Amino acid sequence: LEIAMGVTGADGGSLMLLNEETRNLEIVAGVGQEQPEKMNLGPGKGIAGFVFMSGRAEIVNNAPCDPRFLPGS
């Protein structure tokens, strides 16, 4: 995660993985802003869920201004 942040120049980031049992995305690593202890997003929810469903990586330069942004995610 820190290498990816260095390459992209990001101030923070998180890594989410799909929980096969719940079918939700869960944060497994985070750097920067305080990360929620237990953040779960369904596929298609928030920026991460949209990226998961589309299968296309994205760099979001100002997440809070993105209409897909969910506060706390």
Side-chain angles (χ1 to χ4, degrees), residues 1-13:
L1 181 56
E2 290 177 354
I3 292 170
M5 289 172 51
V7 169
T8 61
D11 295 328

Side-chain angles (χ1 to χ4, degrees), residues 9 11 13-16 20 23 27 47-48 64:
D11 295 328
S14 61
L15 174 65
M16 301 181 91
E20 293 288 341
R23 304 298 298 165
I27 291 178
I47 297 169

